[in-house]
Amino acid sequence: MGFLEWAIDPWGLKVPIHIAWFLIWVSVIAGLAFFIVHATYLRYFAKPRKFASEIRPPAPSDIPERVPRHSQVARMFHWIMAAAMFTLLFTAFLPRVGVQFPWVTYHWIAGTVLTVSILFHIFHVSFWLDFWSIWPDRIDMTDAYNRVLRSIGRPAPLPRKFAKYPLENKLYHGAIMVAGLAAIATGVFMMFRVRTIFFTRNPYLFSDMTWGMIYVLHGLAGVGLIALIMVHIYFGVRPEKQPITKSMIFGWMSREFYLEEHDPKRWVVSPADAAPALEGSKRTK
Ligand code: HEM
């Protein structure tokens, strides 16, 4: 049983044509295994989280009651991207597991929506939001190291509270970015293989071998996204993460949650910051 499906091209050369579709189930099972292992660990083994105490914690009155977290534009992007992602996953994989329908047109339309929304997202975070807030920084790395030491019973300082995004979210964003960009970059070329409104169909743009590799990379990114999105939804519905999920709907999180999880020096929120729900939407960092 190979991981790829192969064919013989007109010149007798063996070329890959796409991934073997059993990898869909490998990804689904990996996602389910993650749920089970993580939920069991949290329920039976994890110790309560402890953070280093802040030298001078802010007075609650210094923090707005509703802390703005995602601007209206950022939320719209998230939900448009989510709709495109779901459409792409279902149109790509349902036909592979026996649900036949003319999927290609829906697929490339959703692919176009995803591509445009990601281009917009890159522009938006570069010029309007805090581009670096989603990349691991030095404190994240030191704290991660200390967390590992403490988990194996070695002495190490307590980690600080999180900046706007915990390290886990930053790492997840990195993984979904790699898989998403690979699916987009290959998908744009694959549009030359089918009839779309954008380009004249040209299946001879690349050699069979190059096309094969493009299809394989597209398929690998696609199956990777199944597990990644399952994990994302799992965290989104976990009770302790619901304040974060709600902030992606309403735009803000409560002062209590902010003070419990976030370091006000690493994610600075001033009393002047108005929560969208109270005083109309404002730019959030
Ligand atoms: C969640 C993201 C995506 C997933 C899971 C996904 C998955 C897939 C899969 C499994 C196939 C079948 C490929 C094969 O037969 O080997 C496919 C085909 C295709 N994908 Fe995607 N894809 C995604 C994103 C995109 C994007 C962003 C675009 C366009 C920008 C795109 C354009 C296409 C096109 C045009 C085909 C048809 C190729 C053909 O039939 O020859 N896809 N996709």
Side-chain angles (χ1 to χ4, degrees):
M1 182 175 57
F3 292 101
L4 305 182
E5 282 184 21
W6 300 82
I8 305 294
D9 79 1
W11 294 271
L13 193 71
K14 194 175 166 197
V15 288
I17 45 171
H18 47 69
I19 58 166
W21 299 119
F22 77 85
L23 292 177
I24 297 173
W25 298 113
V26 172
S27 191
V28 171
I29 292 166
L32 291 174
F34 182 91
F35 300 172
I36 295 166
V37 171
H38 185 268
T40 310
Y41 170 76
L42 274 200
R43 181 93 170 80
Y44 297 108
F45 302 102
K47 299 192 188 102
R49 279 192 309 178
K50 274 198 205 151
F51 295 108
S53 45
E54 290 143 55
I55 301 164
R56 210 167 51 82
S61 56
D62 286 346
I63 306 296
E65 202 182 312
R66 292 177 170 186
V67 175
R69 183 170 164 102
H70 300 296
S71 68
Q72 205 164 29
V73 175
R75 281 176 279 147
M76 265 172 58
F77 157 74
H78 177 270
W79 294 114
I80 290 173
M81 182 195 59
M85 268 288 181
F86 272 115
T87 311
L88 284 161
L89 287 172
F90 285 114
T91 52
F93 295 125
L94 283 181
R96 317 285 152 186
V97 296
V99 184
Q100 298 305 335
F101 63 99
W103 60 278
V104 176
T105 308
Y106 303 112
H107 190 80
W108 70 252
I109 293 173
T112 307
V113 173
L114 181 74
T115 307
V116 172
S117 72
I118 297 288
L119 289 175
F120 169 77
H121 176 63
I122 296 170
F123 177 76
H124 184 221
V125 298
S126 305
F127 297 105
W128 269 273
L129 304 183
D130 180 2
F131 183 86
W132 297 109
S133 66
I134 200 65
W135 302 96
D137 60 20
R138 198 180 294 238
I139 299 177
D140 290 324
M141 302 323 285
T142 317
D143 282 346
Y145 181 65
N146 289 337
R147 276 153 74 183
V148 172
L149 287 182
R150 292 177 66 85
S151 71
I152 54 171
R154 300 260 305 273
L158 281 167
R160 285 175 68 164
K161 288 183 184 172
F162 305 121
K164 183 171 179 185
Y165 299 108
L167 177 65
E168 291 79 348
N169 299 42
K170 294 178 177 182
L171 295 178
Y172 179 84
H173 179 268
I176 201 114
M177 186 188 78
V178 169
L181 289 181
I184 289 175
T186 47
V188 167
F189 285 120
M190 285 159 75
M191 292 219 266
F192 282 98
R193 294 277 294 240
V194 298
R195 263 173 240 292
T196 67
I197 52 171
F198 300 114
F199 330 101
T200 315
R201 189 172 171 269
N202 180 8
Y204 306 107
L205 188 64
F206 298 117
S207 69
D208 289 335
M209 179 57 97
T210 309
W211 275 125
M213 290 191 298
I214 289 174
Y215 275 67
V216 166
L217 186 54
H218 195 75
L220 287 177
V223 290
L225 282 162
I226 299 177
L228 283 172
I229 287 172
M230 284 173 73
V231 168
H232 185 67
I233 295 168
Y234 162 77
F235 280 114
V237 299
R238 279 201 65 89
E240 76 280 7
K241 303 284 181 207
Q242 279 180 17
I244 299 178
T245 309
K246 282 189 188 150
S247 76
M248 192 44 93
I249 300 170
F250 302 110
W252 54 270
M253 55 179 29
S254 71
R255 173 163 60 203
E256 293 68 41
F257 187 83
Y258 168 84
L259 288 172
E260 213 174 283
E261 301 252 329
H262 297 278
D263 180 339
K265 292 191 194 67
R266 299 182 69 198
W267 175 19
V268 179
V269 175
S270 79
D273 280 325
L278 287 180
E279 294 181 28
S281 63
K282 273 203 170 177
R283 176 184 147 184
T284 62
K285 283 212 167 176

